[in-house]
Amino acid sequence: LTARRQAERELQESEFFFRESQRAAFIGSYRVDFAQDRWTSSEVLDRIFGIDASYPRTAGSWAELVHPDERATMERYVQDVVIEGRQPFRREYRIVRRTDGETRWVSGLGEVTVNPDGDAVGLTGTIMDVTERTIADADRRRLSAAIEHSAEAVVITNLAAEIEYVNPAFERITGYSRDEALGSNPRILKSGVHGPEFYAAMWEALASGRSFAASMTNRRKDGSLYQEQSDISPIFDESGSVTSYVAVKRDVTREREAEVEQGRLARERALIASTLAEVRVGPTPEATAESICKQVVNMTAIMTAAIYYFDAARQATPLAIVRADGEPVELRPLPAHRSRTLRERSAEGPWVERWVHRPWHPLEKMFSELGVAAVAIAPILDAGQPIGFVEITTDAEHGGVKLTEDLAALLEFAGLAGALIGPSVADLTEESGARARIEQTIRYRAFRPVFQPIVEIQTGAHVGYEALTRFTDGRRPDLVFAEARAAGIEAELELATLAVAIDAAAALPRTAWLSLNVSPALAVADRRLGRLLRGAGQPIVLEITEHAPVEDYEALRTAVARIRPKVRIAVDDAGSGAANLNHIAELRPAFVKLDVSLIRGIDADRTRQALIVGLLRFADESGATAIAEGAESQEELAMLSELGVRLVQGYLLAEPAPVAEWAAPDMH
């Protein structure tokens, strides 16, 4: 009995000390009974989870204490790994305290208990709150990562000034690897620039427990010098004793060089500002470019200055080339391969290159006479894209070093050129681009004619066909002709499309006339039209288009008289404005084409009906025949017939189609 009581006292003391140790270490214990579907927990574990005796302790309720993001994973782990796999429970995870909702990190240990038959009957283990440790570990990892990835070099030495740690930035800046640096003295970086007094001051500060900061000149492994801003501090232990030193070093070589360069640039800008003030904006881009170039050649030792732009064909074309001696220069574009090189390099910024003999270069002879040895080029930008460049040259005496020093000034002039002539150059490029597109369209015949019948309402007979143009790229014809007009080659495009239409129309019935659209400018000024029309096999009707106003009716009447009587005239879009009525009065056309805006809904609109009656009377008085354009319904067609319109053209009766659709029977 005595022995039993002694054992009980020892057990109670053991349990007491276990509970106290748990309480002190914040470690709780638990036991799960699978048969009773319950679990029990220690007082410390309750405090960790923030629960009390009222919390339900069914076998599944423990999962409610696990953080929602980890709950499903934990349930699978306990079931698959611990219970079924008989593996010890070892895991760190997050929980949510029930009392305050705080998220905490815990570390769990446990194992499955089994009966004599080997069946799992329960689970026992401990849980320790490791939140502070986890946070501290994360902080240490972040600090370590920050130092490892820092752009500034970090060096730690012991009290004997032996290097114990360097980060990757130290290796990158100094050229010494970590293995080479560890165990060495920082004097491996000593440049010899600083005297003994400098280092004495450093060690005096460190020995007294103070930090030392200074700009230093050190030497890399390859022997080159570099500038650094160094901050060296002692590291203290808990007792306040210095245990090591840490130095944070920032490479400021480029910053120091930039400061020197900034001083030089400031002096240059003062000179440039006074020079730019003399630039004058001219009436044309060429005049402005010449004014800029004249100021550029005033810079010391500059032989020539030129401004080029990249045209629509992406060829470098000069706006101005000025020699320092004032001699005139012939302006010729650069070859395609040189233009391509300059265009590609202009996207990268300014550069200097040695001039080499180039027999194909249009300025080769002049450069040879002047003794040009180097060329500097700065791009002219518009909306961030290179649209041209400024080019300067110097002779062999001064060479590329001089031009390299002048690059900043050259950029100023290029920026000025971009501001003053950039929009004009963009217009030149757009205009030349349009011209190139139209010329290519004409060269490759990138269009085809289609024909739309003009129909007699009563009989359905095709009395005429209007030739229309469709472009291969799908663009609207009115937009293509407008682009050609803006580029100054509308006549060439008109003649090309008319020639193709006349050739194709040879397959149309000979009894029907061929209606061709012609601008007033072509009819008046270009005798090629008359020669082209004389080769037509059908009667011709010229529709005077409204793309451009008629400036001189007398000249137009004279031009029309030259091609009458074989060629008759039609006025398009009658009723759409006063200008159309004036065409009828001035030109006395054979046909008046009633505008589609009057035909739409005419069957239900008395106002439109009255206007048509008036126009028919007006046409009759002038000896013209009316043609209604755009009839799209049977009701409109019936009303037109009732009002006295004999001829109609529109999608209701026939859509524009290739000549094969309307070819004369003997042509099939």
Side-chain angles (χ1 to χ4, degrees):
L1 181 59
T2 301
R4 187 191 312 162
R5 288 180 178 174
Q6 177 66 27
E8 289 174 352
R9 281 196 301 271
E10 290 176 355
L11 179 59
Q12 289 172 353
E13 290 175 357
S14 175
E15 290 178 349
F16 170 77
F17 284 117
F18 178 67
R19 287 194 301 271
E20 289 304 307
S21 64
Q22 281 188 322
R23 187 179 295 111
F26 217 43
I27 301 175
S29 61
Y30 63 90
R31 178 176 296 155
V32 181
D33 189 325
F34 295 158
Q36 296 185 18
D37 191 27
R38 287 189 58 79
W39 57 277
T40 58
S41 56
S42 68
E43 178 186 345
V44 175
L45 188 61
D46 289 352
R47 289 207 309 273
I48 292 174
F49 283 129
I51 60 177
D52 55 24
S54 65
Y55 185 76
R57 285 167 167 75
T58 61
S61 64
W62 68 271
E64 297 298 323
L65 301 171
V66 179
H67 192 282
D69 292 349
E70 300 188 35
R71 192 169 296 157
T73 302
M74 280 292 294
E75 288 179 328
R76 288 195 301 271
Y77 173 74
V78 170
Q79 182 63 39
D80 298 343
V81 177
V82 179
I83 298 176
E84 296 184 6
R86 299 289 199 273
Q87 298 295 318
F89 182 98
R90 296 181 184 277
R91 197 176 187 91
E92 288 190 2
Y93 57 97
R94 288 175 294 168
I95 64 168
V96 179
R97 287 171 52 85
R98 304 295 288 188
T99 52
D100 52 18
E102 181 184 359
T103 297
R104 305 286 292 180
W105 280 92
V106 297
S107 176
L109 297 174
E111 61 181 17
V112 173
T113 57
V114 297
N115 61 18
D117 296 330
D119 299 325
V121 296
L123 182 66
T124 59
T126 60
I127 292 177
M128 179 172 61
D129 189 319
V130 294
T131 303
E132 283 69 25
R133 188 201 71 192
T134 302
I135 293 174
D137 288 346
D139 289 342
R140 282 192 293 272
R141 286 193 297 271
R142 281 194 295 270
L143 177 59
S144 176
I147 293 174
E148 285 288 302
H149 292 89
S150 172
E152 299 178 346
V154 178
V155 182
I156 299 176
T157 69
N158 57 25
L159 294 179
E162 296 171 337
I163 297 175
E164 295 183 332
Y165 170 82
V166 295
N167 68 343
F170 174 90
E171 299 177 285
R172 184 173 62 254
I173 293 172
T174 67
Y176 287 98
S177 69
R178 181 171 299 188
D179 291 340
E180 291 173 318
L182 294 182
S184 301
N185 190 290
R187 70 170 61 96
I188 61 175
L189 304 175
K190 194 172 181 179
S191 64
V193 173
H194 306 287
E197 64 279 0
F198 175 86
Y199 297 103
M202 178 185 73
W203 282 112
E204 180 183 355
L206 296 175
S208 62
R210 293 181 288 110
S211 296
F212 178 81
S215 292
M216 302 177 64
T217 300
N218 278 340
R219 190 179 300 278
R220 297 184 178 91
K221 182 180 178 181
D222 63 9
S224 62
L225 299 179
Y226 68 98
Q227 303 290 316
E228 70 174 22
Q229 178 63 40
S230 186
D231 293 279
I232 309 172
S233 302
I235 300 175
F236 302 93
D237 62 14
E238 295 179 356
S239 66
S241 300
V242 176
T243 61
S244 54
Y245 302 100
V246 60
V248 179
K249 301 165 171 284
R250 182 164 60 92
D251 187 348
V252 294
T253 306
R254 291 186 179 179
E255 295 177 21
R256 299 292 183 264
E257 292 173 349
E259 290 172 1
V260 174
E261 180 68 10
Q262 285 296 100
R264 188 180 71 82
L265 290 178
R267 294 189 295 273
E268 280 190 357
R269 287 196 183 98
L271 176 62
I272 293 169
S274 61
T275 304
L276 293 179
E278 301 299 321
V279 172
R280 296 291 178 264
V281 178
T284 64
E286 292 81 359
T288 303
E290 184 175 7
S291 176
I292 295 173
C293 289
K294 285 181 178 178
Q295 296 304 317
V296 174
V297 294
N298 287 333
M299 296 169 61
T300 305
I302 300 303
M303 311 299 295
T304 66
I307 292 180
Y308 289 79
Y309 77 97
F310 298 119
D311 63 19
R314 313 185 82 179
Q315 194 164 12
T317 303
L319 286 172
I321 302 176
V322 174
R323 291 173 52 152
D325 58 12
E327 289 294 319
V329 182
E330 180 184 1
L331 303 183
R332 288 190 293 163
L334 299 180
H337 61 281
R338 177 63 175 169
S339 297
R340 182 173 59 255
T341 299
L342 292 168
R343 189 175 63 253
E344 292 172 352
R345 292 200 64 178
S346 291
E348 302 172 2
W351 75 94
V352 175
E353 64 181 40
R354 184 171 63 89
W355 177 256
V356 296
H357 180 62
R358 295 182 172 103
W360 43 262
H361 197 286
L363 301 180
E364 167 65 24
K365 182 179 179 181
M366 181 182 73
F367 282 3
S368 296
E369 292 173 353
L370 295 175
V372 169
V375 178
I377 296 172
I380 299 174
L381 304 178
D382 183 59
Q385 297 298 316
I387 59 172
F389 57 89
V390 180
E391 177 188 81
I392 59 175
T393 64
T394 192
D395 58 16
E397 180 182 352
H398 299 89
V401 175
K402 163 62 182 170
L403 294 187
T404 301
E405 294 174 350
D406 288 337
L407 274 183
L410 189 60
L411 276 173
E412 297 276 357
F413 284 108
L416 177 68
L420 296 183
I421 65 175
S424 300
V425 167
D427 291 342
L428 286 173
T429 303
E430 183 177 348
E431 180 180 321
S432 60
R435 186 180 186 90
R437 284 193 296 273
I438 299 302
E439 289 175 345
Q440 189 174 30
T441 298
I442 295 172
R443 184 181 306 115
Y444 295 107
R445 292 290 190 265
F447 51 81
R448 59 184 176 84
V450 293
F451 300 88
Q452 186 174 33
I454 299 167
V455 182
E456 190 174 64
I457 294 179
Q458 297 300 326
T459 64
H462 293 183
V463 297
Y465 295 88
E466 180 180 359
L468 303 167
T469 299
R470 297 292 181 262
F471 290 91
T472 305
D473 60 9
R475 286 189 294 165
R476 282 171 38 191
D478 59 327
L479 298 181
V480 178
F481 280 99
E483 186 176 55
R485 185 163 55 255
I489 54 173
E490 183 182 25
E492 283 70 17
L493 181 61
E494 282 191 87
L495 290 169
T497 55
L498 289 173
V500 171
I502 290 173
D503 287 344
L508 294 173
R510 294 303 178 101
T511 56
W513 75 76
L514 176 62
S515 185
L516 302 170
N517 292 283
V518 177
S519 66
L522 183 66
V524 169
D526 203 313
R527 292 185 177 273
R528 290 177 294 176
L529 176 63
R531 293 194 296 270
L532 182 64
L533 297 179
R534 282 193 290 273
Q538 289 88 3
I540 298 296
V541 173
L542 290 187
E543 291 190 28
I544 305 300
T545 61
E546 279 292 288
H547 298 319
V550 176
E551 302 292 343
D552 187 344
Y553 275 107
E554 181 61 34
L556 183 57
R557 282 194 298 269
T558 301
V560 170
R562 286 199 304 267
I563 54 179
R564 278 174 169 163
K566 180 179 180 180
V567 175
R568 292 174 289 177
I569 301 298
V571 170
D572 202 8
D573 302 330
S576 63
N580 303 101
L581 300 180
N582 196 38
H583 281 4
I584 298 172
E586 292 284 350
L587 299 178
R588 301 293 178 177
F591 299 97
V592 173
K593 303 190 79 171
L594 304 178
D595 187 65
V596 66
S597 63
L598 297 179
I599 307 303
R600 289 286 183 269
I602 192 172
D603 55 302
D605 191 327
R606 288 188 171 277
T607 301
R608 283 185 167 82
Q609 294 170 16
L611 286 171
I612 292 297
V613 171
L615 286 170
L616 288 173
R617 177 68 180 273
F618 185 69
D620 287 342
E621 291 293 331
S622 62
T625 299
I627 302 173
E629 289 190 294
E632 301 297 339
S633 70
Q634 292 293 342
E635 292 77 13
E636 291 173 351
L637 190 64
M639 178 54 67
L640 290 170
S641 179
E642 183 179 332
L643 294 175
V645 176
R646 294 192 305 107
L647 303 179
V648 177
Q649 180 180 355
Y651 277 62
L652 175 65
L653 300 176
E655 296 184 10
V659 69
E661 293 289 328
W662 319 118
D666 58 341
M667 295 294 179
H668 282 288

